[in-house]
Amino acid sequence: PAPTAAPQDFIRQIVRDDLASGKHAAIHTRFPPEPNGYLHIGHAKAICLSFGIAKEFDGWCNLRLDDTNPGREDPEFVEGIKEDVRWLGFQWHELRHASDYFDVFYRGALKLIEDGKAYVDDLDAEQVRAYRGTLTEPGRNSPYRERSIEENLDLFKRMRAGEFADGSKTLRAKIDMAAGNINLRDPALYRIRKIAHQNTGDAWPIYPMYDYAHALSDAMEGITHSLCTLEFEDHRPLYDWCVDNVDLPAHPQLWQSVVEAGLEAKPAKPRQIEFSRLNLSYCITSKRKLAQLVNENFVDGWDDPRMNTLRGLRRRGFTPAGLRLLIERVGVSKQNSVIDYAVLEGCIREDLDATAARRMAVLDPLKLVLTNLPEGHEETLTFPNHPKDESFGTRQVPFAREVWIERDDFAEVPPKGFHRLKPDGEVRLRGVGIVKCTEVIKDAGGHVTELHGTLDPDTRHGLPGADRKVKGTIHWVSAKHAVAAEVRLYDRLFGVAAPDGEDDGKNWLEHINPEAKRVVRGWLEPAAANVDPEQRFQFERLGYFVADRHDHRADAPVFNRTVTLRDVWARAAGQ
């Protein structure tokens, strides 16, 4: 797809204004996933936005792993996240972890206690909920809220030393139990969790809460624009409270450990800006539900081509450029909306139409014998690799007396408007000439097993009769030279537009589309088989396909259908 003009949206306008006013000399962003699962298509929007804006304005973007939740996080996911970001076409300025700043968070918490802005609370989770109040009723102060600064410091240091049981105490911010925004009703800053962390081992029996760690991590890295999805809008006052009250820029003693560890530290005040997340019809982006699909074997792993994880989309043959095109088309706004899955497929088709070479394959084979060619007839034809782009060059395609054609390119009793092969009918064999069906061979059950026909020699390429008009053109593969392949025909994983809507009384798992994966044995022209994994093609008249990342071998090809040539769902819905 041709490059479009620089995107215009409210976030980029804020960035332009901040640069123009001199508020910032450079733009620093970050992409902060939690390493507790693989990235999905929703993350693609966040990646394209944070990395894209940094690139457009000559700034930089960090990849920061928000690893504050040990036990659910895994180095395998860390590696997967890094691979996916690179695959989408982006490179981070620095790789950081929230765990790089555990000492900073702890010292910041001590400062808040000393300033009378945080206290140790003994209420358990259920009691905290009871005291919190509701959207219409204010909360009540915890009976432990007025502990002295000395007692709070003593208790918090003992929490740090591992003296208390999991869940028995929390450190809470002292803000306002009557605040209209429930996030400001003395939110927890630290919890006790005696569990090993993949980066820090057993060093910490306490871990910071997300809002506190996220705000201070952004400040530590000098992030100028912290881009988040809309559900964090209500958290922004707490984010700002943490940034302002810990005040890292004015208290360098809080973050010397980071400098000593050899990491660059330029603390500053970040600004959080929210945008709507990418919601696609026929999709689920809940990490919990994606994990359930994997764990209960509804799919064959996180990279199953039916999954909308970035690994799954990659294995299915979706292109980074096609995904970036989708994000650009969808744009950035504050309005929550659901994008039709067909828009995504359209972007992938648009990219592949321009970038995928053409090949011939037959997925439901019926043999056609051209009886007027001699028994051992063989020749080599030259085909363009791309009908719209000469730079793709040409390839040699073998042709012989017996060819495979698609079974549905023949109809014994053709429906109205059928322009393919029928008894005594003529059709153009792509790149060869016009053939006529002269005989239909059937088995005892009346099933068509083979066709006989003749090739009109005057209609061969370069001869005067080549211009003779017939309505249909069909593709083919030489039976003698064809390479057998496993072809996996993928489709949407769910059969309804809102699988987790549950308004029809069904569980979301009941909406899984049983036709989302079909495996067939097809025949490929030789030039389609001997290719590297992840090579993408348009199989003429069939769709776009990719050589499977893991299972494809030149001597045993495996291809996945990425997307059909046209939107079959719209047609099925009668649109």
Side-chain angles (χ1 to χ4, degrees):
T4 47
Q8 303 288 333
D9 55 65
F10 78 99
I11 296 181
R12 286 173 169 89
Q13 197 50 55
I14 290 170
V15 169
R16 283 188 195 97
D17 293 346
D18 286 349
L19 287 169
S21 70
K23 180 181 177 185
H24 298 299
I27 301 304
H28 300 158
T29 59
R30 85 290 167 265
F31 171 59
E34 296 174 67
N36 61 359
Y38 286 106
L39 301 182
H40 56 66
I41 191 157
H43 293 109
K45 181 172 179 180
I47 293 170
C48 289
L49 189 59
S50 288
F51 280 94
I53 282 179
K55 204 169 177 177
E56 277 165 51
F57 294 96
D58 293 324
W60 53 249
C61 181
N62 278 352
L63 173 59
R64 181 172 72 241
L65 298 156
D66 241 318
D67 55 352
T68 54
N69 202 2
R72 296 185 50 205
E73 299 166 349
D74 193 311
E76 177 193 332
F77 295 136
V78 172
E79 291 312 308
I81 287 167
K82 286 153 65 171
E83 193 180 336
D84 288 343
V85 170
R86 284 197 201 100
W87 175 72
L88 264 182
F90 299 105
Q91 185 54 51
W92 50 89
H93 170 66
E94 281 189 83
L95 178 69
R96 294 280 179 109
H97 301 78
S99 55
D100 295 337
Y101 314 127
F102 277 175
D103 186 65
V104 181
F105 303 152
Y106 176 68
R107 289 168 189 265
L110 291 173
K111 175 185 181 295
L112 291 174
I113 295 170
E114 287 163 1
D115 294 346
K117 293 175 180 172
Y119 62 97
V120 173
D121 193 9
D122 295 5
L123 296 181
D124 64 28
E126 213 165 294
Q127 293 168 316
V128 167
R129 265 195 296 279
Y131 274 82
R132 182 174 286 145
T134 64
L135 290 170
T136 52
E137 292 171 22
R140 292 174 293 142
N141 285 352
S142 162
Y144 305 99
R145 196 175 197 261
E146 299 311 321
R147 276 177 164 152
S148 68
I149 288 173
E150 290 68 32
E151 189 182 358
N152 282 318
L153 281 173
D154 173 61
L155 288 171
F156 187 55
K157 285 174 180 173
R158 286 160 67 193
M159 282 168 66
R160 163 73 183 96
E163 198 174 308
F164 305 114
D166 278 25
S168 62
K169 290 183 176 359
T170 51
L171 180 71
R172 295 176 68 181
K174 189 187 278 195
I175 308 181
D176 178 8
M177 288 305 292
N181 184 335
I182 289 181
N183 290 301
L184 296 178
R185 294 184 189 173
D186 290 11
L189 301 177
Y190 265 94
R191 67 212 189 279
I192 301 173
R193 286 197 73 200
K194 292 179 179 167
I195 186 163
H197 184 283
Q198 67 270 18
N199 264 8
T200 57
D202 292 317
W204 293 90
I206 55 171
Y207 291 97
M209 301 303 285
Y210 179 82
D211 283 322
Y212 176 68
H214 183 80
L216 294 190
S217 298
D218 282 348
M220 271 306 298
E221 289 170 30
I223 302 305
T224 55
H225 300 81
S226 172
L227 309 179
C228 303
T229 43
L230 278 179
E231 66 267 32
F232 291 101
E233 195 162 21
D234 291 344
H235 296 247
R236 192 190 330 140
L238 174 56
Y239 178 97
D240 289 338
W241 186 92
C242 294
V243 167
D244 292 340
N245 285 287
V246 174
D247 193 10
L248 290 170
H251 297 86
Q253 71 278 13
L254 300 179
W255 41 271
Q256 284 318 293
S257 60
V258 173
V259 179
E260 284 159 17
L263 293 175
E264 186 181 32
K266 290 183 179 170
K269 182 172 179 177
R271 173 180 177 181
Q272 179 176 305
I273 306 169
E274 305 83 17
F275 61 91
S276 62
R277 60 196 303 164
L278 177 62
N279 296 309
L280 281 172
S281 63
Y282 296 92
C283 271
I284 273 175
T285 52
S286 147
K287 271 188 186 172
R288 185 178 55 78
K289 288 180 176 175
L290 291 171
Q292 191 176 341
L293 289 170
V294 174
N295 296 335
E296 296 180 15
N297 299 318
F298 287 102
V299 294
D300 308 322
W302 285 97
D303 68 345
D304 185 302
R306 290 167 289 185
M307 290 277 275
N308 63 12
T309 53
L310 292 182
R311 318 175 72 70
L313 297 173
R314 174 178 182 173
R315 192 165 177 190
R316 178 140 164 200
F318 281 37
T319 61
L323 291 173
R324 293 195 303 264
L325 183 63
L326 171 76
I327 306 306
E328 192 181 309
R329 292 239 162 111
V330 168
V332 180
S333 78
K334 286 241 180 213
Q335 292 318 110
N336 264 326
S337 61
V338 177
I339 306 300
D340 189 349
Y341 194 82
V343 177
L344 165 62
E345 291 179 321
C347 289
I348 300 301
R349 279 189 197 101
E350 199 171 313
D351 181 45
L352 288 172
D353 180 49
T355 58
R358 305 323 198 230
R359 294 289 183 265
M360 290 197 291
V362 172
L363 302 186
D364 185 8
L366 175 61
K367 187 169 274 184
L368 168 63
V369 182
L370 299 170
T371 55
N372 65 332
L373 292 179
E375 283 274 343
H377 179 85
E378 262 185 66
E379 60 184 287
T380 303
L381 307 174
T382 301
F383 273 59
N385 283 324
H386 199 302
K388 305 173 190 173
D389 189 341
E390 286 185 4
S391 71
F392 278 71
T394 60
R395 70 186 188 282
Q396 302 301 298
V397 179
F399 169 65
R401 184 172 184 260
E402 299 186 358
V403 294
W404 295 115
I405 65 168
E406 289 291 345
R407 185 165 287 279
D408 65 5
D409 278 339
F410 170 76
E412 198 172 6
V413 182
K416 191 168 182 278
F418 186 81
H419 295 313
R420 286 160 286 167
L421 203 54
K422 54 195 177 195
D424 294 324
E426 287 189 318
V427 74
R428 184 177 298 281
L429 208 53
R430 168 109 168 80
V432 178
I434 295 173
V435 297
K436 180 176 187 175
C437 176
T438 56
E439 193 182 351
V440 179
I441 316 287
K442 299 181 184 181
D443 61 16
H447 184 70
V448 176
T449 55
E450 190 172 286
L451 303 176
H452 287 182
T454 54
L455 169 63
D456 179 349
D458 293 338
T459 59
R460 301 294 308 262
H461 184 68
L463 294 177
D467 295 335
R468 180 155 79 80
K469 295 279 181 280
V470 283
K471 280 226 163 122
T473 299
I474 64 172
H475 64 280
W476 53 275
V477 174
S478 164
K480 180 176 181 180
H481 304 92
V483 181
E486 177 180 318
V487 182
R488 300 165 182 171
L489 301 172
Y490 289 107
D491 204 344
R492 301 177 188 186
L493 180 56
F494 295 98
V496 297
D500 47 8
E502 301 201 353
D503 37 4
D504 54 2
K506 285 187 174 179
N507 177 295
W508 64 279
L509 289 167
E510 294 177 67
H511 293 305
I512 289 178
N513 172 14
E515 294 289 296
K517 179 185 181 182
R518 287 192 303 120
V519 181
V520 299
R521 186 168 184 263
W523 295 101
L524 313 179
E525 63 163 280
N530 192 7
V531 297
D532 292 332
E534 295 201 272
Q535 182 92 34
R536 300 179 185 90
F537 295 112
Q538 185 196 98
F539 287 169
E540 298 198 15
R541 301 177 64 236
L542 297 175
Y544 293 99
F545 291 77
V546 66
D548 187 80
R549 250 185 110 172
H550 302 305
D551 299 338
H552 173 83
R553 298 199 321 264
D555 60 337
V558 177
F559 274 86
N560 302 327
R561 182 173 68 192
T562 304
V563 67
T564 52
L565 286 183
R566 282 173 207 83
D567 183 355
V568 291
W569 285 71
R571 213 163 51 206
Q575 291 169 4

